[in-house]
Amino acid sequence: MSNEENALKGFLTKYKYRDFTSKEVTSLIQVYRGLTYRLEAFVFNNGARKDLLNLEGTIPVNYKGAYYNIPVCIWLMDTHPQNAPLCFVKPTPDMSIKVSKFVDSNGKVYLPYLHEWKPNGSTLQNLVQCMITAFGELPPVYSKPRNEVRAPYPAGPFMPQPAGYPYGQLPGPPKQPPYQTPIQLPGPPKQPPYPTPIQLPGPPNQPPYPTPSPYPATSNLPYPNFGTPYPGPANMNGTPYPPNFAPATSYGPSPDVAGGTITEEHIKASLLSAVEDKLRRRLNEQSQQSQAELETLRRTQQELREGKTRLEDILGRLQRERTDLDKNVATLQEKEKELQSAVERLGGQEGIDVDEAVVTTAPLYSQLLNAFAEEATLEDAIYYMGEALRKEVIDLDTFLKQVRTLARRQFTLRALMHKCRQKAQLAC
């Protein structure tokens, strides 16, 4: 098994969680021998191609007490298990996809387990189990009609074909009785007017005649090593049971029936009954398929309506933002015009004296303004005295003497400004 794991890891060189994916795939194919793996190119809906691991083969599905091998393929993303796999039903040439709530017309599988995929809790084995359960409830495929040349008089009973043959040729009553020789039929003289099947010796638990089933009895699958051919019921030796059944018919008290002769009326009545049953099954099948397609269209309609609502909300928000932007642009244009007019007005005026630019309204404010201007001047003088000392323009004694004088004057001005602020009831 180590060689197989090494070969599998060679396929998973581009996978983010290679060891985990290899271990899970190995455990899955040990349980379901009908699955095998290969590295193939997968084309997404946007046209992008990517090499992904494809688990291809058949899984056993129990439908009405019989096991059928359903052909499927499971594509693992390169980020597995962070993203859910893509599952498809892969019908053989003699099968067709049966649309249901689990499978669409392209064969893609839709399951709640895939929708609720959890990277830390979901596994491939549980996914296959969910597929088996879902397909056991609603089979995903049915057999296509076989192009066979029928004998003028059918050798079997006049019974309709099993369900799942929606496009077969309808039998019709023959123009003439194909056989003129009398046939001796077993049974007591009085029997029901229509043929009834009887159980003959054969494999155990086999129905007396083919029961309605969406699967053909045999098929040529491209998976010769995946067990029994899908979807016929398999016995212990891996081969499908043949439909062992035979008619035992006898008719009413007419003289011909009592003598064992099948008349044209009997053949016509049997054929009409078979056609009626077959048409009824076809109508039911078409109705179910139409219901599934209608449900898909309803879901699509609901999604489109929700998308329309979201788009309308986005358009409304964009419209509001555009209106606000237009208002801001208009405001900026008005302010720009005001600034231009102010610049033109100031450009035409004469120069303003700096000392006359600021005029106080009271003597107290004038005293406060003069004290503040002088204090700022002393601050600059002290700064430049320090620069002169640093550049050795003046000596230290001169610096200390001048700074002491300037600082004393600065302290007096600050005390004066403080009193003026208190007098004017300003913040100190």
Side-chain angles (χ1 to χ4, degrees):
M1 187 58 65
S2 60
N3 295 332
E4 184 175 354
E5 289 182 357
N6 293 333
L8 180 57
K9 289 182 178 179
F11 291 155
L12 304 176
T13 54
K14 297 182 180 180
Y15 276 65
K16 187 175 182 181
Y17 305 98
R18 184 179 64 173
D19 296 337
F20 179 84
T21 305
S22 173
K23 182 178 179 181
E24 192 172 12
V25 171
T26 303
S27 62
L28 178 67
I29 61 178
Q30 288 179 353
V31 177
Y32 298 97
R33 298 290 183 176
L35 295 176
T36 184
Y37 60 85
R38 66 181 67 180
L39 191 67
E40 294 181 340
F42 184 85
V43 181
F44 293 88
N45 294 335
N46 58 1
R49 297 172 60 90
K50 184 176 290 187
D51 292 334
L52 300 178
L53 189 68
N54 180 17
L55 295 174
E56 190 177 42
T58 59
I59 56 176
V61 174
N62 184 359
Y63 179 72
K64 294 185 177 180
Y67 281 90
Y68 303 94
N69 293 322
I70 305 295
V72 297
C73 60
I74 304 173
W75 295 86
L76 301 184
M77 298 292 101
D78 54 2
T79 56
H80 182 82
Q82 296 297 323
N83 298 99
L86 298 177
C87 302
F88 295 88
V89 175
K90 190 175 182 181
T92 56
D94 55 351
M95 301 178 192
S96 295
I97 294 175
K98 187 174 183 181
V99 179
S100 66
K101 63 181 180 179
F102 298 128
V103 181
D104 62 7
S105 58
N106 296 324
K108 188 174 181 180
V109 178
Y110 298 90
L111 293 174
Y113 193 80
L114 288 172
H115 182 69
E116 300 172 358
W117 182 270
K118 299 178 181 178
N120 298 327
S122 301
T123 62
L124 293 178
Q125 290 191 19
N126 292 339
L127 172 60
V128 174
Q129 286 292 334
C130 292
M131 293 172 64
I132 291 174
T133 303
F135 294 164
E137 178 183 353
L138 294 175
V141 292
Y142 63 89
S143 68
K144 296 180 180 178
R146 299 179 182 177
N147 297 325
E148 297 179 353
V149 179
R150 298 183 180 274
Y153 186 79
F158 297 98
M159 295 297 293
Q161 294 181 359
Y165 294 81
Y167 306 105
Q169 297 295 329
L170 295 177
K175 297 181 179 179
Q176 296 180 357
Y179 293 96
Q180 300 298 332
T181 57
I183 300 175
Q184 187 66 32
L185 300 177
K190 294 183 178 181
Q191 295 291 339
Y194 298 100
T196 57
I198 63 172
Q199 181 72 30
L200 294 183
N205 299 327
Q206 184 69 15
Y209 54 83
T211 57
S213 170
Y215 313 107
T218 59
S219 62
N220 298 323
L221 289 177
Y223 313 108
N225 298 326
F226 295 150
T228 61
Y230 173 81
N235 61 6
M236 297 303 293
N237 296 325
T239 58
Y241 284 119
N244 294 324
F245 58 89
T249 57
S250 182
Y251 299 94
S254 65
D256 292 338
V257 175
T261 302
I262 299 178
T263 63
E264 183 178 357
E265 288 75 11
H266 299 142
I267 297 174
K268 186 180 296 184
S270 179
L271 290 175
L272 289 176
S273 176
V275 170
E276 182 182 357
D277 292 340
K278 190 170 185 178
L279 286 176
R280 185 181 293 109
R281 282 197 300 274
R282 283 190 190 175
L283 289 175
N284 291 336
E285 190 169 295
Q286 290 293 336
S287 176
Q288 293 178 0
Q289 184 174 357
S290 300
Q291 289 292 339
E293 294 177 355
L294 181 61
E295 185 64 26
T296 302
L297 291 176
R298 286 176 179 173
R299 289 198 299 267
T300 305
Q301 183 183 20
Q302 182 65 24
E303 293 175 357
L304 290 175
R305 288 178 177 175
E306 294 176 356
K308 179 181 178 181
T309 303
R310 289 195 295 269
L311 288 176
E312 289 177 350
D313 294 340
I314 294 173
L315 289 176
R317 186 169 62 253
L318 290 176
Q319 188 66 29
R320 291 191 297 270
E321 292 179 356
R322 181 177 180 180
T323 303
D324 296 339
L325 185 60
D326 292 340
K327 292 180 180 179
N328 293 333
V329 170
T331 303
L332 288 175
Q333 291 177 352
E334 293 177 357
K335 297 297 182 182
E336 184 179 4
K337 292 179 180 179
E338 293 178 0
L339 289 175
Q340 290 178 354
S341 61
V343 169
E344 293 176 356
R345 186 177 62 255
L346 293 175
Q349 295 179 358
E350 298 180 356
I352 301 175
D353 187 4
V354 177
D355 294 332
E356 297 178 357
V358 179
V359 179
T360 58
T361 59
L364 181 62
Y365 296 151
S366 177
Q367 186 180 11
L368 179 61
L369 178 61
N370 294 332
F372 178 80
E374 186 178 356
E375 191 271 337
T377 304
L378 294 176
E379 185 73 24
D380 294 340
I382 293 174
Y383 170 77
Y384 285 109
M385 290 290 292
E387 289 295 318
L389 178 64
R390 184 175 64 82
K391 295 180 181 180
E392 297 181 354
V393 176
I394 59 176
D395 57 3
L396 181 60
D397 295 337
T398 304
F399 172 77
L400 293 176
K401 181 179 179 181
Q402 295 298 327
V403 167
R404 187 181 301 110
T405 304
L406 295 175
R408 186 181 295 109
R409 179 59 181 168
Q410 187 181 30
F411 175 79
T412 305
L413 292 173
R414 288 183 177 180
L416 178 60
M417 287 190 297
H418 184 72
K419 289 183 179 180
C420 290
R421 286 179 175 274
Q422 289 181 344
K423 191 68 176 178
Q425 296 181 353
L426 299 175
C428 297

